[in-house]
Amino acid sequence: MRKQFEQMIINNQGRIRYIASRYSHDGEFDDIYQEILLQLWRSFDSFDGQSKLETWVYKVAFNTACTFVRSAVKHKELKKSPLHKVVEESVPGHESCQADLLNQFMDSLNDIDASLLMMYLDGLSSDDSAAVLGMTSNAVRSRIKRIKQEFENEFIGE
């Protein structure tokens, strides 16, 4: 089981790190990341295969990060600063690469939409994304359509 768990973490490292960074406040990344890993370990035996492993990882990571943030708010550990780290701005006058543009766009989205876009880019179906976020597949498809339109309006133009 340990080898399977380690392989799952290796295969989903980017997803886990993104969710942890998205929901972390200054200096909290390591805490959220460790909490996500702990919850994945604790619940790994309960994964029943009814969904894709990637979908299950998203759901555990997303729920753990949300619980961490709620707990931090209750304990007044978060002040009025954003819940996620801001990606550094591109160097002025330097041509932005696609990853910089995508990061800039994702930073402009709320946490749910950014998570949804990440799942979409990772190839999760609308049904799988809906299961992670607790919404309908139609709502997921509508949000994705709106997110695509926002991106086109902001970065592609007419």
Side-chain angles (χ1 to χ4, degrees):
M1 178 181 93
R2 183 176 176 173
K3 292 260 188 223
Q4 293 170 323
F5 179 78
E6 288 173 356
Q7 189 60 48
M8 178 201 62
I9 296 302
I10 290 168
N11 292 344
N12 291 282
Q13 184 81 338
R15 292 176 183 99
I16 297 166
R17 293 183 70 74
Y18 175 78
I19 291 170
S21 69
R22 184 72 188 184
Y23 287 89
S24 66
H25 184 303
D26 292 334
E28 293 178 335
F29 172 81
D30 289 335
D31 294 336
I32 292 178
Y33 182 76
Q34 290 298 321
E35 186 64 25
I36 290 170
L37 292 180
L38 178 64
Q39 294 305 321
L40 286 167
W41 174 255
R42 285 181 176 167
S43 56
F44 189 66
D45 285 340
S46 67
F47 175 67
D48 57 12
Q50 289 188 6
S51 64
K52 293 179 187 172
L53 184 61
E54 293 83 9
T55 304
W56 178 80
V57 169
Y58 268 115
K59 190 168 192 166
V60 171
F62 180 73
N63 288 336
T64 301
C66 289
T67 299
F68 186 93
V69 169
R70 277 193 299 270
S71 175
V73 168
K74 284 181 184 177
H75 292 98
K76 297 180 182 179
E77 292 175 3
L78 289 178
K79 303 220 166 126
K80 293 182 178 180
S81 52
L83 293 176
H84 57 86
K85 297 177 184 174
V86 178
V87 176
E88 294 179 20
E89 295 293 322
S90 298
V91 177
H94 178 30
E95 185 85 19
S96 294
C97 71
Q98 291 176 344
D100 290 338
L101 292 177
L102 182 59
N103 282 331
Q104 183 181 353
F105 178 66
M106 288 184 81
D107 281 341
S108 73
L109 298 174
N110 66 52
D111 290 332
I112 300 293
D113 285 350
S115 297
L116 186 58
L117 179 57
M118 186 176 142
M119 287 183 255
Y120 174 78
L121 293 173
D122 269 350
L124 264 68
S125 70
S126 58
D127 290 336
D128 290 339
S129 298
V132 170
L133 297 172
M135 59 178 59
T136 66
S137 295
N138 285 340
V140 167
R141 287 188 292 273
S142 294
R143 279 184 175 227
I144 290 294
K145 184 176 181 179
R146 181 185 49 78
I147 291 167
K148 286 179 177 179
Q149 187 62 49
E150 278 182 47
F151 182 82
E152 187 175 314
N153 291 342
E154 190 169 333
F155 292 99
I156 298 174
E158 297 179 26

